[in-house]
Amino acid sequence: MGNKIIALANQKGGVGKTTTAINLSASLARCGKKVLLIDADPQANASSGLGVDIRELDASIYECLVNNIDPHEAVITTEVENLSLIPSHIDLVGAEIEMLNIADRESLLKRILTQLRSEYDYILIDCSPSLGLITVNALTAADSVIIPVQCEFFALEGIAKLLNTIKIIKSQLNPNLQIMGFLLTMYDNRLRLSNQVLDEVKRHFGDLVFNTVIARNVRLSEAPSHGQTIFEYDSHSKGAVAYKALAQEVLKR
């Protein structure tokens, strides 16, 4: 199943999307896969979470999209073996407006990744928490999408919007786009609400829900501030065990 491009998308912020992007990428890399993570979020949390100082960068995904530079120039090797990164930059905030003048503006990222695809087993794209042009680019470039869902009261509210966007992209831009799965995050088994959300998402989406559930885990939330994945920070934590299991599911799907 090599050469897969997977977008991680949910226009709701704070659902564990970047945590998943970083740690799933690292976990796949630890399985011996060559992995490239694209940070397509102007907040650049995936970049800083992998220890990259975004003020020191020569090139980011922004230059690839807007200035059409060779994407190889933007690739950084991380501390994690087998894991590379194309970082983000705060300039990405304005990129959507600059992209409006470019022909095929929904397919710019697809064109960039076509140049890199054969060099990696997996390319993961951490999308920004919006359904703007860059997220549309990510979904147009991807083979499949993983949707992280936080175990909280309004969890399903935003999903309908995202599913509608995916439907439009399938019909107009990327007929092969599949939903790989819904990933439940920030789960707390002591809370009845967490269990209700879990049941509701499973009832709605059945087999599309990953068996692995990412529980609330202090170590997991601390790791990015040290510029480390959960595996370097605390490889015995619940979070590390969960992302190891998630990588196995992704490899099978």
Side-chain angles (χ1 to χ4, degrees):
M1 294 298 286
N3 302 106
K4 282 190 89 68
I5 299 178
I6 304 170
L8 288 108
N10 189 334
Q11 76 279 15
K12 210 167 168 355
V15 296
K17 187 168 48 59
T18 299
T19 303
T20 297
I22 292 172
N23 293 307
L24 175 56
S25 297
S27 193
L28 289 166
R30 285 167 63 92
C31 295
K33 300 295 176 189
K34 283 204 69 172
V35 183
L36 175 66
L37 175 59
I38 311 280
D39 187 352
D41 181 350
Q43 292 170 3
N45 292 338
S47 303
S48 56
L50 282 169
V52 172
D53 184 348
I54 57 170
R55 291 164 307 193
E56 309 271 288
L57 295 176
D58 297 324
S60 68
I61 192 64
Y62 172 82
E63 283 78 15
C64 299
L65 289 166
V66 175
N67 303 338
N68 204 9
I69 70 160
D70 181 339
H72 293 90
E73 290 177 33
V75 175
I76 298 175
T77 50
T78 69
E79 303 283 303
V80 180
E81 196 180 347
N82 291 327
L83 176 58
S84 300
L85 169 78
I86 292 187
S88 180
H89 196 277
I90 188 68
D91 289 347
L92 206 54
V93 170
E96 305 211 338
I97 293 167
E98 297 177 59
M99 287 160 71
L100 291 177
N101 301 323
I102 304 175
D104 288 335
R105 56 179 176 258
E106 296 87 5
S107 306
L108 293 174
L109 187 57
K110 186 180 178 125
R111 205 170 63 217
I112 291 164
L113 297 188
T114 305
Q115 301 172 58
L116 297 166
R117 187 169 193 152
S118 62
E119 297 161 43
Y120 298 95
D121 298 309
Y122 287 90
I123 297 178
L124 275 69
I125 310 168
D126 186 25
C127 298
S128 75
S130 80
L131 291 177
L133 185 53
I134 291 177
T135 298
V136 168
N137 262 270
L139 294 171
T140 302
D143 302 307
S144 56
V145 54
I146 291 175
I147 302 170
V149 181
Q150 187 180 351
C151 291
E152 51 138 46
F153 192 62
F154 293 115
L156 285 173
E157 195 175 66
I159 291 183
K161 226 183 206 161
L162 176 60
L163 293 180
N164 195 40
T165 302
I166 290 172
K167 204 164 100 186
I168 293 167
I169 286 170
K170 275 189 78 143
S171 70
Q172 297 181 13
L173 296 162
N174 182 4
N176 301 321
L177 182 63
Q178 298 294 328
I179 293 174
M180 181 182 275
F182 294 84
L183 174 69
L184 287 147
T185 63
M186 304 186 193
Y187 174 76
D188 184 342
N189 63 357
R190 295 165 310 185
L191 297 179
R192 201 167 78 216
L193 179 63
S194 265
N195 289 300
Q196 282 169 346
V197 173
L198 184 71
D199 293 342
E200 198 177 347
V201 173
K202 282 191 167 157
R203 199 172 62 241
H204 257 78
F205 300 111
D207 290 345
L208 281 178
V209 184
F210 285 106
N211 295 322
T212 304
V213 172
I214 310 297
R216 277 195 184 280
N217 179 253
V218 177
R219 310 300 279 164
L220 208 48
S221 49
E222 287 171 352
S225 60
H226 297 268
Q228 291 183 323
T229 76
I230 191 61
F231 301 104
E232 285 93 36
Y233 186 63
D234 185 350
S235 60
H236 299 296
S237 65
K238 273 189 180 145
V241 171
Y243 279 109
K244 217 179 273 178
L246 179 63
Q248 289 306 318
E249 280 194 77
V250 168
L251 290 170
K252 284 193 187 83
R253 286 200 177 196

